[in-house]
Amino acid sequence: MVVPTSVAAQFRRLDKNLGELKRLKSSALSEDQSILVAEICNSCILALDKAMNALWEAKGETEVGKQKPIIYFPIVTSSKEKLAAKLQQYQMPDLEQDEPKVFEIIDAVQAYNGVKWLRALYDLAAIRHENFPKISQVDEKGIEFGKGQDL
């Protein structure tokens, strides 16, 4: 499946912004840098949602008597069966059979597989209405998001 150029461009821009954050050397990030992190989190979630929507446009079908569902990148914490149920809601029940590689990627980042970053990313993006995330640098190889926040 081909990723739409607008989604690919958004991921390239996110990669560039993440590279900028990796170059930071201070022990705590400035407010401007904190805002940049919040924007990156929001843009990541939006890019995932747009990619999922593009997948629906390519592979989904509106069920008879229904409208196109509102599509978000699925974030499932409990089980693969819940992911299948979410895809059923999105009117894409055969995604695992039709696009096994795409399904494998979506499945691989779910919390029930022990992956925590997707949920943390979503939670950080969700606080955008309240405040910007508190961020402190852990070491030269990465940063710690949401330090002191109950994620």
Side-chain angles (χ1 to χ4, degrees), residues 77-128:
T77 57
S78 57
S79 68
K80 192 171 186 174
E81 291 74 28
K82 293 281 186 181
L83 176 59
K86 179 64 75 174
L87 293 173
Q88 179 72 37
Q89 285 179 334
Y90 291 169
Q91 301 174 17
M92 297 173 29
D94 299 324
L95 183 63
E96 187 172 10
Q97 293 77 30
D98 296 346
E99 292 289 337
K101 289 182 180 182
V102 173
F103 180 85
E104 184 179 312
I105 292 168
I106 294 168
D107 178 59
V109 298
Q110 300 302 321
Y112 58 81
N113 287 319
V115 178
K116 297 181 180 180
W117 68 263
L118 181 61
R119 184 73 218 184
L121 179 68
Y122 179 82
D123 289 344
L124 283 170
I127 66 169
R128 69 185 175 267

Side-chain angles (χ1 to χ4, degrees), residues 3-146:
V3 176
T5 56
S6 61
V7 174
Q10 189 169 11
F11 279 115
R12 283 192 305 274
R13 182 179 174 132
L14 287 167
D15 191 46
K16 179 182 173 188
N17 288 340
L18 286 170
E20 183 180 323
L21 279 176
K22 287 179 183 179
R23 289 190 295 277
L24 300 174
K25 302 290 183 198
S26 63
S27 61
L29 301 183
S30 71
E31 286 183 348
D32 285 344
Q33 294 161 336
S34 181
I35 290 169
L36 177 60
V37 169
E39 289 172 351
I40 290 171
C41 291
N42 291 329
S43 291
C44 283
I45 293 296
L46 288 173
L48 289 170
D49 290 345
K50 287 177 184 178
M52 193 68 189
N53 213 339
L55 178 62
W56 190 92
E57 292 292 336
K59 299 294 177 182
E61 290 185 22
T62 304
E63 294 175 4
V64 176
K66 293 189 176 184
Q67 295 182 335
K68 177 187 177 284
I70 298 172
I71 306 290
Y72 298 104
F73 190 89
I75 300 174
V76 180
T77 57
S78 57
S79 68
K80 192 171 186 174
E81 291 74 28
K82 293 281 186 181
L83 176 59
K86 179 64 75 174
L87 293 173
Q88 179 72 37
Q89 285 179 334
Y90 291 169
Q91 301 174 17
M92 297 173 29
D94 299 324
L95 183 63
E96 187 172 10
Q97 293 77 30
D98 296 346
E99 292 289 337
K101 289 182 180 182
V102 173
F103 180 85
E104 184 179 312
I105 292 168
I106 294 168
D107 178 59
V109 298
Q110 300 302 321
Y112 58 81
N113 287 319
V115 178
K116 297 181 180 180
W117 68 263
L118 181 61
R119 184 73 218 184
L121 179 68
Y122 179 82
D123 289 344
L124 283 170
I127 66 169
R128 69 185 175 267
H129 301 290
E130 300 166 18
N131 54 38
F132 293 105
K134 308 267 188 292
I135 302 160
S136 64
Q137 188 159 340
V138 177
D139 58 34
E140 292 184 12
K141 295 179 184 175
I143 57 175
E144 182 177 311
F145 290 93

